[in-house]
Amino acid sequence: MTDENSLVERFEEHRPRLRRLAQRMLGSTAEADDIVQEVWLRASAAGADDVKNFGGWLTTIASRACLNVLRSRASRGEIPLDDERTGPVVEMEERAPDPMQEAQQAEAVGAALTVVHERLSPAERVAFVLHDSFDVPFEQIADLLERSPDAVRQLASRARRRVRSADVAGIRSARERRPVVDAFFAAARAGDFDRLVSLLAPDVELRIEQGLSVTALVRGGAAVAGRALMFAIPDAVLRPVLVDGLPGVVVTVRGQAVSMMAFDVAGDRIAAIDAFAGPARVAELSLPR
């Protein structure tokens, strides 16, 4: 067997995964096939004799090619190029939404997911797809995007919230999911640990951002409930908002915003919480007046 035949066989083992990766990033089967062909041409020209992690090497080549396509789209105005945002989109929550609008949302879950993917910036899309769908470490993605791992983690987190919001848009509106969030805070203020645990999914994740990095990641219902009890503030005022389309709150104490939280609610339980903690971090966010 020649070296070329060996490279062909090794590449064919990875072809399906590379195609899935390109499809997720670009949303186009035809473009995904073009990306895979480009990866093969680059890999065959460079040779792989000295490559220790062949699959990771191909993933990097494919990701760079996809990033170039996304940036080209952005330069033509087809998708956003804004990769420098430091926080989520925060809006006032409408307590009485248009019923017709909600009905239309209920018929378009898949379309919503497609639309939100198209609204992600190139860096958000690459960070989200590589980490959440293909388990690529943030450190490796950081090298690809020429950013710090913390910055890439924020890009993926922001994209994740938007995708989760679109995923549930056709099932339950933010208003319909709000009672679960209200019950969570009521239980925290009452010190009701068992009630808190009952409102949290067993594998719930609490991600806390303070400054420009994620300073804590708490997993599991009991651990997250314990953290909620620890930081329950009796005299806090809760202002309902939408955070990247998810139900959330801005927590204010004596007129100063001290934190903001976004809740991913699945069914009657909270599946994930993104918290932005501390007056300094909240001051960096663009909050509605």
Side-chain angles (χ1 to χ4, degrees), residues 72-215:
S72 176
R73 290 182 188 175
S75 69
R76 299 193 300 269
E78 297 176 16
I79 62 174
L81 187 56
D82 184 5
D83 289 342
E84 304 301 327
R85 291 169 291 180
T86 58
V89 176
V90 186
E91 306 167 282
M92 292 297 296
E93 181 181 32
E94 295 183 5
R95 285 293 192 171
D98 183 354
M100 180 62 72
Q101 183 180 17
E102 287 194 338
Q104 291 172 344
Q105 285 180 332
E107 297 175 356
V109 180
L113 279 168
T114 300
V115 169
V116 79
H117 267 265
E118 291 299 333
R119 290 177 179 172
L120 298 178
S121 69
E124 285 174 338
R125 204 159 177 172
V126 168
F128 172 68
V129 171
L130 286 181
H131 183 265
D132 284 42
S133 297
F134 294 90
D135 297 321
V136 178
F138 284 125
E139 290 75 14
Q140 185 176 335
I141 304 172
D143 290 339
L144 172 67
L145 295 178
E146 298 181 343
R147 296 166 187 249
S148 70
D150 282 337
V152 172
R153 188 179 288 108
Q154 284 196 357
L155 288 169
S157 180
R158 190 165 59 224
R160 190 181 303 116
R161 284 193 299 272
R162 290 174 182 156
V163 171
R164 286 202 309 259
S165 175
D167 193 24
V168 300
I171 303 172
R172 301 174 70 197
S173 68
R175 178 178 61 86
E176 291 173 313
R177 288 173 277 140
R178 174 65 62 179
V180 180
V181 177
D182 294 340
F184 172 84
F185 282 105
R189 282 178 163 170
D192 191 340
F193 180 81
D194 291 338
R195 175 60 173 156
L196 277 171
V197 172
S198 73
L199 292 166
L200 298 168
D203 57 349
V204 62
E205 286 190 351
L206 167 63
R207 292 176 287 270
I208 304 173
E209 289 188 17
Q210 189 170 10
L212 293 178
S213 64
V214 175
T215 58

